[in-house]
Amino acid sequence: MSVGAPKLSGILGVFFVKFYTREGNFDLVGNNFPVFFIRDGMKFPDMVHALKPNPKSHIQENWRILDFFSHHPESLHMFTFLFDDIGIPQDYRHMDGSGVNTYTLINKAGKAHYVKFHWRPTCGVKSLLEDEAIRVGGSNHSHATQDLYDSIAAGNYPEWKLFIQIIDPDHEDKFDFDPLDVTKTWPEDILPLMPVGRMVLNKNVDNFFAENEQLAFCPGVIVPGVYYSDDKLLQTRVFSYSDTQRHRLGPNYLLLPANAPKCAHHNNHHEGFMNFMHRDEEVNYFPSRFDPVRHAETYPIPPNICRGKREKCIIEKENNFKQPGERYRSFTPERQDRFIQRWVEALSDPRVTHEIRSIWVSYWSQADKSLGQKLATRLNVRPSI
Ligand SMILES: *[C@@H]1O[C@H](CO)[C@@H](O)[C@H](O)[C@H]1NC(C)=O
């Protein structure tokens, strides 16, 4: 699954990992960038429509994407990844992964910490610039898959280290950004990456369809010790992914070997289309004194005290421009020039109206004044601020 094309100056690659633990499965369902375009899950379907091909021509077009996101300045940070050099990974081995959303980890005593997960490839991150991407992708359509398959087959196992960043929920309000806002990164200088594990891909799948195509992920699939947070995008992803899997693979998709937990597991949900679990019990409800199924050992989940009105509104600390500006300024001058060039090309699309072009120039000016000025000059737009 991926969206994006060289014409869009970047590729959003999903980075999903399924942990088959002794207590059931934990799905870490993220992508190759640490942030996301939007923070409100209600906008997810429209965002996907804008990124997908034009429904009339079936061509993916920048004007539709830039039109939609011109309403969403919170997307700027994500675009500093997508339109950056790292927007086109060299292959799957040289790519970061990120859990993207904020989760909660709870220790035995019940103490909760907000956490972000990060995968870092031990062979480093490598990207393709446009001319390389056109050459490599143009002559060798499956190059990234072949690179991964061949590396594993040759015993040159791809490896990622897993890091976490943590925030004490009591400190949630201490920052100039909202730590549960998925359009923000947590600055590594104050919230350092802590190593907690590694992943080695030491075996290729034998059957791509059974072990890859039919894999189903959902951020709602967690194990004791891991919990969600009030990250608003996570809250919708927790539901929407399983709905998709039931539609895509059928209601019994969790029975498929790739998706079933590898530990003893039992619940009394069954039947529906394509149920291939043969059971002969007479009790299919819970609890029952005739049934040996018992509650699992209880584990603490963080208490959540909510006071106030439940309403649909914009978050208090939007802070849409600071982190994108900082990221842009961290690039070398050559990298900044390539970033500008990609924006000039995208905004030069004749179907991007003058209004949309001005809005983007204004957004980038608010992130970084000189970036806005350079875009304004190149595009012949008057900066609006
Ligand atoms: C395609 O890419 C793979 C992975 O980099 C490489 O091993 C292979 O030689 C390439 N094939 C061609 C025809 O360029």
Side-chain angles (χ1 to χ4, degrees):
M1 243 200 314
S2 73
V3 290
K7 198 173 169 242
L8 181 65
S9 302
I11 294 167
L12 170 60
V14 301
F15 198 113
F16 293 1
V17 178
K18 192 181 285 294
F19 296 82
Y20 300 99
T21 84
R22 285 190 296 270
E23 293 169 295
N25 292 353
F26 166 43
D27 290 352
L28 191 51
V29 194
N31 66 42
N32 59 332
F33 303 136
V35 291
F36 203 62
F37 293 106
I38 46 167
R39 61 169 75 94
D40 177 359
M42 288 283 280
K43 295 173 187 284
F44 221 113
D46 288 293
M47 182 205 73
V48 172
H49 287 180
L51 287 167
K52 280 176 66 150
N54 179 329
K56 185 169 172 182
S57 64
H58 206 63
I59 297 169
Q60 189 190 34
E61 289 165 338
N62 277 333
W63 68 269
R64 303 175 72 247
I65 295 163
L66 298 176
D67 173 26
F68 176 78
F69 287 112
S70 72
H71 297 272
H72 299 102
E74 68 269 35
S75 66
L76 252 68
H77 200 189
M78 181 69 165
F79 278 111
T80 64
F81 291 87
L82 199 67
F83 277 47
D84 174 27
D85 292 353
I86 65 161
I88 306 177
Q90 178 180 296
D91 49 53
Y92 297 125
R93 282 187 301 141
H94 295 89
M95 209 168 88
D96 278 342
S98 172
V100 184
N101 287 113
T102 298
Y103 287 83
T104 307
L105 289 184
I106 311 126
N107 66 19
K108 274 222 155 68
K111 171 68 192 162
H113 281 98
Y114 290 146
V115 61
K116 274 193 187 288
F117 295 98
H118 302 278
W119 297 102
R120 295 278 195 264
T122 46
C123 60
V125 172
K126 288 190 186 152
S127 318
L128 298 176
L129 294 181
E130 280 82 344
D131 51 343
E132 295 172 298
I134 288 166
R135 187 170 46 74
V136 172
S139 64
N140 195 348
H141 165 260
S142 298
H143 75 97
T145 305
Q146 190 179 348
D147 171 80
L148 187 67
Y149 190 89
D150 290 351
S151 301
I152 296 171
N156 177 23
Y157 299 140
E159 181 186 285
W160 282 262
K161 291 223 158 68
L162 179 62
F163 295 88
I164 58 170
Q165 289 176 290
I166 59 169
I167 289 181
D168 188 329
D170 292 342
H171 299 161
E172 185 175 334
D173 299 326
K174 232 180 66 178
F175 306 92
D176 65 359
F177 60 91
D178 180 342
L180 305 183
D181 172 4
V182 72
T183 70
K184 300 296 183 290
T185 47
W186 294 358
E188 287 173 29
D189 48 345
I190 49 170
L191 301 161
L193 295 183
M194 298 186 288
V196 291
R198 76 188 180 118
M199 168 171 70
V200 180
L201 302 186
N202 63 357
K203 189 175 175 292
N204 273 310
V205 297
D206 300 320
N207 181 309
F208 187 84
F209 190 80
E211 296 172 79
N212 199 326
E213 186 71 24
Q214 288 196 314
L215 268 176
F217 293 87
C218 175
V221 175
I222 52 168
V223 290
V226 183
Y227 201 63
Y228 318 117
S229 76
D230 286 346
D231 174 334
K232 290 168 182 58
L233 196 80
L234 178 62
Q235 284 293 327
T236 49
R237 293 184 74 214
V238 159
F239 294 99
S240 63
Y241 280 62
S242 290
D243 286 348
T244 301
Q245 306 304 353
R246 282 187 281 270
H247 178 71
R248 184 174 76 96
L249 298 167
N252 282 302
Y253 72 96
L254 288 172
L255 297 184
L256 292 168
N259 300 321
K262 306 269 183 247
C263 58
H265 63 95
H266 200 96
N267 68 35
N268 279 329
H269 298 188
H270 61 109
E271 297 168 352
F273 279 151
M274 308 289 259
N275 174 21
F276 54 87
M277 179 167 57
H278 181 85
R279 289 174 57 164
D280 59 5
E281 296 99 329
E282 293 181 86
V283 173
N284 62 351
Y285 49 86
F286 177 85
S288 162
R289 294 185 207 287
F290 296 97
D291 186 7
V293 174
R294 293 284 170 266
H295 276 293
E297 192 188 333
T298 56
Y299 58 93
I301 59 167
N304 206 350
I305 298 164
C306 302
R307 283 196 199 88
K309 254 186 284 174
R310 187 171 57 193
E311 55 185 342
K312 190 164 168 57
C313 59
I314 291 172
I315 63 168
E316 226 169 82
K317 293 180 194 166
E318 273 202 279
N319 210 344
N320 291 327
F321 303 108
K322 187 177 167 210
Q323 290 194 355
E326 285 170 353
R327 185 168 156 79
Y328 169 77
R329 286 187 291 279
S330 77
F331 297 162
T332 62
E334 297 75 31
R335 194 164 163 181
Q336 290 182 347
D337 286 346
R338 290 191 290 271
F339 181 76
I340 292 168
Q341 179 59 26
R342 292 179 193 118
W343 274 101
V344 169
E345 275 172 28
L347 290 168
S348 299
D349 184 321
R351 293 192 68 182
V352 173
T353 63
H354 186 77
E355 183 194 9
I356 293 173
R357 213 169 279 148
S358 308
I359 290 170
W360 279 104
V361 171
S362 150
Y363 285 165
W364 287 117
S365 303
Q366 290 173 74
D368 185 274
K369 213 159 177 210
S370 78
L371 167 60
Q373 258 153 10
K374 284 178 184 162
L375 284 173
T377 310
R378 296 273 304 272
L379 290 161
N380 206 14
V381 171
R382 234 166 353 120
S384 52
I385 63 150

